[in-house]
Amino acid sequence: MSRWAALPAELDPRVRQLVVRLRRLKDHSGLSLRQLAARTGYSQKSWERYLGGRSLPPREAVEALAGAVGEEPTRLLALHEVAAEAWRNGRREATAGEPEREPLVAPESLSAEATGPRSPGRSLRVALVAGAVALVLALSTAVLLVVRLSGGDPAQPTSPLLATGGQSSPAVSASMPPSASAATSAPTYTCRPERVDGHWYAGLSRTRDAILANGHAGPEVAEAQCLLRRAGISPGAVDGIFGPVTERAVRQVQRRAGLVVDGIIGPHTWKALRQ
């Protein structure tokens, strides 16, 4: 069994969960990093970075590791999808936190200043371009002002309720201003459990293999929440949002069914929920 170095403290928990899972699979297989590199096509240095939490492994590398150790890749790929989103968000936040640097003066500008004023012909071309840009901006502003004063695009209905037959769709609610969207109610889900051919359904989705994890949303999540309630485990509100409370409930039902406890709903967890 390998003795792994501690993962970086700033590593996102979702990325940490993926790395720990990959480490366990590598250890249980008995493969060394050199053997793993030979079987997957990724170098030993790459696997040292991936399993050390210094770099996120690509999806193909995760799938190659699963094939090398004889593991079903579905759960690993679901973990990788969640970890990749967390990794991208972390990098965007790090980039946003960097202070802006003042632009350096271009060498062309320095040479122009050193050699004196530009030729009259070039100055005229620059003035013409600047005038054209100003004209385009002025026309665009005038068009927007006319559209706003005339009440918007006449081809669009004046009320989102008329466009949807009296019900506000999520896409329309997203495009409405805050004052209008606040007046419409958020999507609500009603559990209607029934047993069909030996399986339980709540009337919101009939999927048996959708991969759901923390951060997902939609009717499939609401279906799982209803089935968790039917099993006597509270997932919180049936709102179609996969949050920490729903994840804890999923872990409980996985533990009760003797499944891998990872808080991710896959085909095996759906089977346990619908039995």
Side-chain angles (χ1 to χ4, degrees):
M1 190 69 66
S2 302
R3 298 189 62 181
W4 298 100
L7 292 173
E10 66 274 10
L11 195 64
D12 188 278
R14 290 164 288 184
V15 181
R16 182 184 299 271
Q17 185 179 13
L18 172 65
V19 175
V20 170
R21 181 64 176 163
L22 294 178
R23 285 182 172 185
R24 289 177 180 173
L25 289 175
K26 182 264 180 191
D27 288 342
H28 291 166
S29 69
L31 296 175
S32 64
L33 287 177
R34 181 177 299 178
Q35 293 170 330
L36 184 62
R39 292 196 181 189
T40 60
Y42 290 83
S43 68
Q44 180 177 344
K45 293 291 185 182
S46 296
W47 281 115
E48 288 177 356
R49 293 196 305 273
Y50 300 156
L51 300 178
R54 301 191 303 273
S55 179
L56 183 71
R59 177 186 177 90
E60 293 77 9
V62 174
E63 195 168 4
L65 183 144
V69 302
E71 175 75 6
E72 169 62 35
T74 304
R75 293 180 179 276
L76 283 179
L77 294 179
L79 285 174
H80 180 271
E81 180 181 353
V82 175
E85 180 66 22
W87 187 272
R88 287 191 294 268
N89 292 338
R91 296 193 65 171
R92 282 197 294 267
E93 292 174 1
T95 303
E98 293 181 358
E100 295 185 0
R101 299 179 180 179
E102 295 183 359
L104 299 177
V105 179
E108 182 179 354
S109 301
L110 292 176
S111 61
E113 293 177 1
T115 55
R118 297 179 180 179
S119 63
R122 185 169 184 177
S123 300
L124 179 60
R125 288 196 299 271
V126 172
L128 290 175
V129 172
V133 172
L135 179 60
V136 171
L137 291 176
L139 290 175
S140 301
T141 303
V143 170
L144 291 175
L145 183 60
V146 170
V147 171
R148 180 167 295 182
L149 291 177
S150 61
D153 188 357
Q156 294 181 352
T158 56
S159 172
L161 295 180
L162 296 178
T164 58
Q167 295 182 353
S168 175
S169 65
V172 173
S173 299
S175 62
M176 293 167 59
S179 58
S181 60
T184 62
S185 58
T188 57
Y189 300 98
T190 302
C191 300
R192 299 184 179 89
E194 61 175 346
R195 194 167 180 83
V196 180
D197 296 333
H199 296 88
W200 284 99
Y201 297 91
L204 299 173
S205 173
R206 300 185 70 85
T207 182
R208 294 188 185 181
D209 55 7
I211 304 298
L212 303 176
N214 197 336
H216 288 186
E220 291 83 4
V221 177
E223 173 81 6
Q225 290 172 332
C226 290
L227 296 177
L228 286 166
R229 278 193 173 182
R230 192 209 64 80
I233 302 174
S234 174
V238 179
D239 53 5
I241 300 175
F242 200 126
V245 179
T246 300
E247 182 178 352
R248 285 197 295 269
V250 171
R251 290 178 180 273
Q252 291 183 36
V253 79
Q254 288 173 335
R255 191 175 297 109
R256 178 190 297 178
L259 302 175
V260 176
V261 181
D262 55 8
I264 298 174
I265 300 179
H268 297 293
T269 305
W270 278 117
K271 181 178 180 181
L273 288 172
R274 297 201 183 278
Q275 287 180 347

